[in-house]
Amino acid sequence: MDDLRQKYLTAIGDAADETVLEDLRVAAVGKKGEVSLKMRELGKMTPEERQVAGPKLNALKDEINAALAAKKEALADTALDERLKSEWLDVTLPGQPRRQGTIHPVSQVTEEVTAILADMGFSVAEGPQIEDDWFNFDALNIPDHHPARGEMDTFYMHRDEGDNRLPHVLRTHTSPVQIRAMQKHGAPIRVIAPGRVYRADYDQTHTPMFHQVEGLAIDRDISMANLKWVLEEFFSVFFGTSVKTRFRASHFPFTEPSAEVDIQCSWEGGTVKVGEGEGWLEVLGSGMVHPNVIRAGGIDPDDWQGFAFGMGIDRMAMLKYGIPDLRAFFDSDLRWLRHYGFSALSVPTLHGGL
Ligand code: PHE
């Protein structure tokens, strides 16, 4: 019995894996194992012999079973340790980027423009894209039959028979939001209104839907000088370099005086660079809000005055990010979106840098 004990306990201790251990279990305490066979011999013994050998054999069997169980657990622990070592993962490593989509340049630039102007105290206003023609035209000092209506290539909305509401249009500019914002908030007011606008026009620099951002500041003593500072400051932050502006006298029904604003640029090798050179590029319309417009907004033009401007967002995106063809903006070509798109995790902020 001592030999058996020695033999199995040593073998169990040396067992390298669970298969070896299982073989040992069968050989020792399995049905036909050595210890089991010994137990069967108890029947042939005298009662006295049995009284001595019985408990000893039982104890041996228990001891071997316990050794088997302990070894099994030890083997499992070692296996787990090995796995933990080989499958170890450094959770502090930076994640592997999985690009699932990109932010469209129009969205990116809208955020940039909003961040810059919000920092100057402008809040964001909105209006409908399907607009009353009163807001789109009349309230902006463009009465019926005014030539400006014809120049806008307006999309008129179909009216059902028997519907006697005023006709609607797809707004041709963001300027109607000036009226809505003034009616809603009164004066003083400082808002921008980014959004989609529509005109029936299509070539390399025109699409029937495009984006503008409107700016409106009304207070008691706002002047063109404030407008000029806001725009120069805006362009310099937006393009990340100081940008000169040139104001050219112009005409809009809703501003008086009116100015078209050019930014300084160079034209070399077919590419435009903003903030350098002798060239000029027209980028927006602006002026002092016409008294009739202020009145349409429910504000008394004898007490209040201010400036407004309207700028093409897509145009800004093309200039800043060197995108040559506007039509591609709205083709949803994945290769274009991946190339010109922005990471969803780098939302533009002024302190983070645009
Ligand atoms: N609404 C004008 C346009 O679409 C731009 C503009 C806005 C001009 C505000 C002056 C003041 O061309």
Side-chain angles (χ1 to χ4, degrees):
M1 238 187 265
D2 280 343
D3 289 348
L4 274 180
R5 183 173 176 278
Q6 191 62 35
K7 174 178 160 189
Y8 281 108
L9 291 187
T10 312
I12 290 168
D14 293 344
D17 58 47
E18 289 208 29
T19 340
V20 176
L21 206 58
E22 177 60 9
D23 290 346
L24 284 169
R25 189 190 66 77
V26 173
V29 296
K31 256 188 196 160
K32 289 178 182 161
E34 281 195 274
V35 178
S36 311
L37 290 178
K38 279 264 177 287
M39 290 184 119
R40 261 185 238 171
E41 286 172 17
L42 287 173
K44 294 178 214 152
M45 294 181 186
T46 63
E48 291 75 21
E49 285 172 327
R50 199 181 302 142
Q51 236 170 22
V52 181
K56 274 194 166 180
L57 268 175
N58 266 323
L60 176 60
K61 188 184 169 190
D62 289 347
E63 197 177 355
I64 288 175
N65 273 328
L68 284 165
K71 183 66 183 183
K72 194 171 175 178
E73 203 170 304
L75 283 174
D77 281 353
T78 321
L80 183 61
D81 279 349
E82 287 297 318
R83 249 188 88 185
L84 286 175
K85 244 183 256 167
S86 66
E87 294 177 11
W88 183 78
L89 193 70
D90 185 353
V91 296
T92 66
L93 285 175
Q96 294 185 354
R98 280 208 293 154
R99 288 225 300 181
Q100 299 203 327
T102 58
I103 299 299
H104 195 283
V106 169
S107 306
Q108 178 81 9
V109 166
T110 302
E111 292 299 324
E112 294 179 4
V113 168
T114 305
I116 298 168
L117 291 164
D119 194 52
M120 297 186 201
F122 290 83
S123 42
V124 175
E126 282 183 317
Q129 294 173 44
I130 298 173
E131 185 59 285
D132 277 5
D133 76 346
W134 186 82
F135 282 102
N136 195 83
F137 296 122
D138 303 70
L140 291 164
N141 202 32
I142 315 173
D144 225 346
H145 307 301
H146 188 286
R149 290 208 185 196
E151 287 159 20
M152 286 272 205
D153 306 304
T154 310
F155 286 111
Y156 287 90
M157 302 302 290
H158 175 72
R159 236 181 359 145
D160 288 335
E161 211 73 52
D163 180 353
N164 57 10
R165 285 175 309 165
L166 287 167
H168 284 65
V169 297
L170 290 181
R171 67 179 181 194
T172 57
H173 50 181
T174 43
S175 300
V177 186
Q178 288 186 35
I179 308 295
R180 291 182 176 276
M182 284 190 281
Q183 287 186 349
K184 193 166 167 196
H185 301 292
I189 187 172
R190 239 186 284 177
V191 287
I192 54 166
R196 296 183 161 184
V197 299
Y198 302 82
R199 288 178 204 177
D201 211 350
Y202 190 66
D203 60 36
Q204 193 177 337
T205 52
H206 297 89
T207 49
M209 185 280 297
F210 60 105
H211 300 80
Q212 287 188 334
V213 58
E214 193 81 6
L216 173 72
I218 302 282
D219 211 321
R220 296 193 184 274
D221 53 3
I222 301 260
S223 73
M224 291 289 275
N226 301 119
L227 170 65
K228 182 152 183 157
W229 181 85
V230 164
L231 290 177
E232 285 195 343
E233 184 70 11
F234 167 79
F235 287 120
S236 298
V237 178
F238 181 77
F239 287 106
T241 173
S242 95
V243 179
K244 285 195 196 121
T245 61
R246 185 173 73 173
F247 280 54
R248 271 181 298 106
S250 180
H251 177 264
F252 299 103
F254 30 92
T255 45
E256 181 58 39
S258 303
E260 278 176 312
V261 179
D262 303 340
I263 52 176
Q264 173 199 14
C265 70
S266 70
W267 307 83
E268 264 161 43
T271 53
V272 189
K273 282 221 183 94
V274 174
E276 60 175 59
E278 307 293 300
W280 296 100
L281 192 69
E282 185 198 321
V283 287
L284 62 82
S286 65
M288 295 301 288
V289 183
H290 194 287
N292 289 349
V293 174
I294 296 187
R295 208 172 285 118
I299 296 172
D300 185 351
D302 291 333
D303 291 337
W304 304 92
Q305 62 181 39
F307 66 72
F309 63 84
M311 179 168 58
I313 291 181
D314 322 73
R315 198 88 196 291
M316 288 296 128
M318 291 170 81
L319 280 173
K320 181 166 177 180
Y321 296 111
I323 310 174
D325 192 328
L326 177 65
R327 291 169 295 195
F329 273 61
F330 311 116
D331 282 346
S332 299
D333 182 328
L334 264 185
R335 291 163 303 175
W336 189 93
L337 291 168
R338 290 204 177 109
H339 181 77
Y340 287 112
F342 294 82
S343 160
L345 293 178
S346 54
V347 179
T349 60
L350 288 181
H351 66 266
L354 296 177

